[in-house]
Each structure stands twice: as structure tokens, then as C-alpha cells.
Amino acid sequence: MLTLIVAGRYVSPLLEVRNRRFQTKMQTREKFSASMMDLLSAVSHLLLAPVVPEASDTVRSALTGSNKSGLIM
């Protein structure tokens, strides 16, 4: 009987706190994952976008990736 009282009084609140931390951690991971998917989608759309003919040579080379020194592939 004493074990049940101790467990109910001391262990249960600790488990609740742990579960809340775990839930917050999982929500943060899901939010980060969704943000990364949005970023990857935006980058892929930018890579597929055509370069306008009026663009200067500098802009054209930056957009087409002919100078890939700053890109990680």
C-alpha cells in the first residue's frame, strides 16, 4: 500500500514531466522537418525557373550555376 502511495505521489509527476518534454521535442522535430521540406521545395522551384534573356552575364552565370564554388552539391 505504501508503495502505491509513493509511486502515485512522486513517480507519476516525474513521468508526466518527462512525457511533456518528449512531446515538445517531437513537435519541434516535426516543425523543423516541415520547414526543411518547404526550403527544399523552394530551392527546387528556383533551380527549375528559366533565366530571362535580358539578364546580364553575371546574373545568368549565378542563376545557371556555372560558378558552383559557393554551392554544396
Side-chain angles (χ1 to χ4, degrees):
M1 182 71 179
L2 182 61
T3 306
L4 292 175
I5 293 172
V6 170
R9 194 120 1 214
Y10 298 105
V11 176
S12 294
L14 293 175
L15 290 175
E16 288 176 16
V17 169
R18 187 188 72 172
N19 287 340
R20 274 187 252 132
R21 280 193 310 241
F22 180 74
Q23 193 173 35
T24 302
K25 179 179 163 182
M26 293 308 293
Q27 288 172 348
T28 303
R29 282 185 180 178
E30 288 174 9
K31 193 180 212 182
F32 177 76
S33 178
S35 297
M36 289 304 296
M37 291 303 291
D38 289 344
L39 179 66
L40 288 173
S41 175
V43 168
S44 66
H45 280 78
L46 283 173
L47 290 173
L48 295 175
V51 180
V52 293
E54 298 87 23
S56 67
D57 292 336
T58 307
V59 172
R60 187 182 322 283
S61 68
L63 291 175
T64 57
S66 59
N67 181 10
K68 293 186 178 182
S69 61
L71 297 177
I72 299 172
M73 296 263 174

